[in-house]
């Protein structure tokens, strides 16, 4: 059994060494580097195969990175600096991973050599050049947005400035430029209420709509507000209140009776041959059922229009009709409850809801109307 385990361990080790050799042969140096580092960290007896593989992978990766940096710098193009910075940082990170293993000697005495250098100055220069490149791009994009109103250019400018912010905080005046790019890129949506209601509740409903929470609508690049000046808005949302009505209070009553014969007693009596038999005594019971139905409906009708503020063109019109239907019900009885069927028993309800006032119904209509406006605005692509 021990021999079998030993053979199995040997096979696993040979397989691992073979796999890292294949990575090197295929030129998958990055994977080979990370694989061998993980295998060697914390290992007292470091396998020569892994040490040599790590040495070769590190050398190849650094050589490839330096060659690419040389090629990019030879072109002398500013757009190459972000890639140069990325390469220098990858070389620096590679050294940081390797550093805990140094000096690296295998169990068989093989000493690996790694060309370790400091890239601090190179990284600083590449950061500086990269920031200059992004900064120049951002200025050009902001200028285009200011001249043409191109919001996409402003959004791209902000993205370039955010790249700088990740590299160097408070670089030049990027905080001011980010605010400027955001202001140029944001879409301003002005909400205006047009109240055509000729009703006692008109003002209350309009006030409720003006208190509509716009927080659920605000997105990164869309800003909603009430009655924004026309020259400072991109779209106008016209919310029109057209009509409101309340039906009269309606109440109807339905009465009916139910009866049943119920067993009241069981007696033993003699029959003709003097034998005792059981005699069941039934009594007819009755109950009068009264059902009361109450109804009252209300409706608020309106429209929502989305207008392009620059062209004054109506982009979309959607009717919004909301309802509040009240239904009250009670079911009571007089008489013997034993006469009531199971179906009627389930309907019994002593509480009869009072009719809602017009004020209460108008408040509910206003809330429902606001929700409908919010849903419509969420669906519209500004």
């Amino acid at each position: 059994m021990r021999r079998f385990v030993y053979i199995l361990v040997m096979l696993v080790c040979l397989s691992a060494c073979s796999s890292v050799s294949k990575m090197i042969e295929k030129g998958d140096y990055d994977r080979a580097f990370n694989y061998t580092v993980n295998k060697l960290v914390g290992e007292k007896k470091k396998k020569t195969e892994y040490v040599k593989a790590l040495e070769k992978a590190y050398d190849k990766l650094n050589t490839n990175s330096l060659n690419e940096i040389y090629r990019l710098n030879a072109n002398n193009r500013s757009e190459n600096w972000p890639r140069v910075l990325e390469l220098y940082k990858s070389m620096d990170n590679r050294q940081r991973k390797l550093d805990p293993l140094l000096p690296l000697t295998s169990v068989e005495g093989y000493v690996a050599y790694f060309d370790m250098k400091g890239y601090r100055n190179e990284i600083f220069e590449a950061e500086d050049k990269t920031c200059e490149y992004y900064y120049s791009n951002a200025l050009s994009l902001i200028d285009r947005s200011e001249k043409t109103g191109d919001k996409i250019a402003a959004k791209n400018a902000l993205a370039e400035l955010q790249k700088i912010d990740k590299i160097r905080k408070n670089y030049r005046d990027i905080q001011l430029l980010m605010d400027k790019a955001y202001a140029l890129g944001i879409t301003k949506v002005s909400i205006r209420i047009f109240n055509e209601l000729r009703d006692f509740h008109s003002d209350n409903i309009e006030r409720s709509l003006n208190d509509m929470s716009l927080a659920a609508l605000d997105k990164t690049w869309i800003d909603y507000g009430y009655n924004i000046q026309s020259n400072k808005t991109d779209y106008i949302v016209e919310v029109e209140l057209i009509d409101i009505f309340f039906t009269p209070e309606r109440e109807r009553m339905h009465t009916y009776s139910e009866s049943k014969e119920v067993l009241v007693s069981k007696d033993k009596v003699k029959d003709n041959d003097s034998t005792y038999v059981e005699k069941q005594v039934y009594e007819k019971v009755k109950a009068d059922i009264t059902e009361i139905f109450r109804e009252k409906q209300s409706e608020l009708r309106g429209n929502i229009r989305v207008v392009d503020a620059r062209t004054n063109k109506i982009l979309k019109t959607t009717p919004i009709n909301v309802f509040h239907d009240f239904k009250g019900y009670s079911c009571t009885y007089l008489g013997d409850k034993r006469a009531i069927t199971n179906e009627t028993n389930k309907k019994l309800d002593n509480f009869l809801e009072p009719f809602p006032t017009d004020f209460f119904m108008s408040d509910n209509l206003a809330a429902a109307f606001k929700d409908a406006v919010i849903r419509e605005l969420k669906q519209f692509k500004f």
Side-chain angles (χ1 to χ4, degrees):
M1 183 65 181
R2 288 183 179 179
R3 184 180 179 185
F4 174 75
V5 172
Y6 177 76
I7 294 171
L8 183 62
V9 171
M10 288 294 293
L11 288 173
V12 171
C13 291
L14 288 172
S15 174
C17 292
S18 175
S19 64
V20 75
S21 297
K22 287 181 180 179
M23 293 179 201
I24 297 293
E25 287 175 10
K26 291 179 180 180
D28 193 354
Y29 301 120
D30 195 58
R31 187 178 167 204
F33 176 83
N34 289 315
Y35 180 83
T36 50
V37 166
N38 290 333
K39 284 290 184 180
L40 292 170
V41 168
E43 189 67 36
K44 290 183 178 180
K45 297 181 180 180
K46 304 185 187 321
K47 295 183 182 299
T48 302
E49 292 86 353
Y50 289 154
V51 173
K52 288 183 176 181
L54 179 59
E55 182 184 44
K56 187 169 184 178
Y58 177 84
D59 180 66
K60 288 291 186 181
L61 287 170
N62 270 20
T63 299
N64 291 342
S65 295
L66 289 170
N67 287 341
E68 187 177 355
I69 289 171
Y70 178 79
R71 179 180 60 79
L72 292 169
N73 286 341
N75 293 333
N76 198 27
R77 298 174 67 89
S78 58
E79 63 266 27
N80 290 338
W81 279 108
R83 176 57 182 163
V84 171
L85 175 60
E86 181 184 348
L87 289 166
Y88 274 127
K89 283 188 173 181
S90 68
M91 292 170 70
D92 186 63
N93 289 334
R94 202 175 297 131
Q95 289 188 164
R96 291 176 187 275
K97 285 185 179 180
L98 186 60
D99 188 64
L101 289 170
L102 301 181
L104 183 58
T105 304
S106 76
V107 69
E108 295 174 356
Y110 180 82
V111 180
Y113 170 75
F114 300 97
D115 186 14
M116 305 286 282
K117 293 182 179 179
Y119 296 105
R120 181 178 178 182
N121 293 335
E122 287 84 353
I123 290 174
F124 184 85
E125 181 188 14
E127 285 181 344
D128 198 46
K129 296 291 186 181
T130 299
C131 289
E132 285 181 14
Y133 168 68
Y134 289 143
Y135 188 84
S136 177
N137 281 353
L139 289 179
S140 298
L141 290 165
I142 288 173
D143 183 62
R144 185 199 307 174
S145 181
E146 286 181 317
K147 290 178 178 177
T148 65
D150 186 349
K151 293 185 181 295
I152 299 298
K155 293 176 184 178
N156 290 336
L158 182 62
E160 295 291 272
L161 294 166
Q162 287 171 336
K163 292 175 186 177
I164 298 173
D165 196 48
K166 289 180 180 179
I167 299 171
R168 287 189 184 168
K169 294 287 184 183
N170 301 319
Y171 179 84
R172 297 191 186 180
D173 58 344
I174 63 166
Q175 297 301 325
L176 291 174
L177 289 177
M178 282 196 285
D179 292 341
K180 189 174 186 179
Y182 179 76
L184 289 168
I186 199 167
T187 296
K188 291 278 189 179
V189 180
S190 176
I191 298 176
R192 299 177 184 176
I193 311 296
F194 294 89
N195 191 351
E196 303 297 330
L197 301 178
R198 300 291 182 266
D199 185 86
F200 181 75
H201 309 283
S202 170
D203 291 341
N204 287 335
I205 293 174
E206 183 178 346
R207 277 195 295 271
S208 179
L209 288 177
N210 277 309
D211 288 337
M212 187 163 47
S213 175
L214 303 180
L217 290 173
D218 283 336
K219 298 179 181 178
T220 303
W221 291 105
I222 302 178
D223 183 33
Y224 295 86
Y226 285 100
N227 303 315
I228 303 173
Q229 294 179 17
S230 298
N231 62 339
K232 294 183 179 180
T233 188
D234 300 291
Y235 297 94
I236 299 170
V237 174
E238 298 178 347
V239 180
E240 184 180 22
L241 298 169
I242 298 174
D243 192 18
I244 187 172
F245 74 87
F246 306 89
T247 64
E249 298 173 352
R250 294 189 293 268
E251 181 177 289
R252 61 187 178 88
M253 184 181 298
H254 175 226
T255 60
Y256 60 95
S257 298
E258 291 182 342
S259 60
K260 186 189 298 182
E261 286 192 347
V262 296
L263 181 65
V264 294
S265 66
K266 294 180 181 179
D267 298 326
K268 288 186 177 181
V269 297
K270 289 184 179 181
D271 60 6
N272 293 332
D273 59 358
S274 299
T275 303
Y276 283 96
V277 297
E278 185 178 78
K279 182 180 180 182
Q280 296 180 337
V281 179
Y282 287 87
E283 178 184 358
K284 189 172 185 178
V285 293
K286 179 184 176 184
D288 297 319
I289 317 300
T290 301
E291 291 181 298
I292 299 177
F293 301 87
R294 285 180 174 178
E295 293 181 356
K296 184 178 180 181
Q297 286 82 38
S298 59
E299 180 181 359
L300 176 60
R301 296 190 298 110
N303 285 317
I304 178 172
R305 285 188 296 271
V306 180
V307 182
D308 189 323
R310 293 157 294 187
T311 63
N312 209 32
K313 180 182 177 181
I314 297 176
L315 303 178
K316 186 179 182 181
T317 300
T318 305
I320 296 181
N321 300 331
V322 293
F323 307 86
H324 181 202
D325 292 342
F326 165 77
K327 292 184 183 297
Y329 175 80
S330 73
C331 180
T332 58
Y333 74 93
L334 289 175
D336 196 321
K337 190 175 182 180
R338 293 176 297 171
I340 298 176
T341 63
N342 288 335
E343 181 181 356
T344 299
N345 192 56
K346 292 177 182 178
K347 296 191 293 182
L348 291 178
D349 184 358
N350 288 323
F351 178 72
L352 180 60
E353 297 93 334
F355 284 103
T357 65
D358 289 356
F359 285 104
F360 178 80
M361 298 188 86
S362 67
D363 286 343
N364 283 339
L365 289 173
F369 199 92
K370 286 193 293 185
D371 290 342
V373 170
I374 294 291
R375 284 195 301 271
E376 184 64 26
L377 291 179
K378 281 183 176 179
Q379 294 174 6
F380 191 81
K381 305 295 183 183
F382 288 102

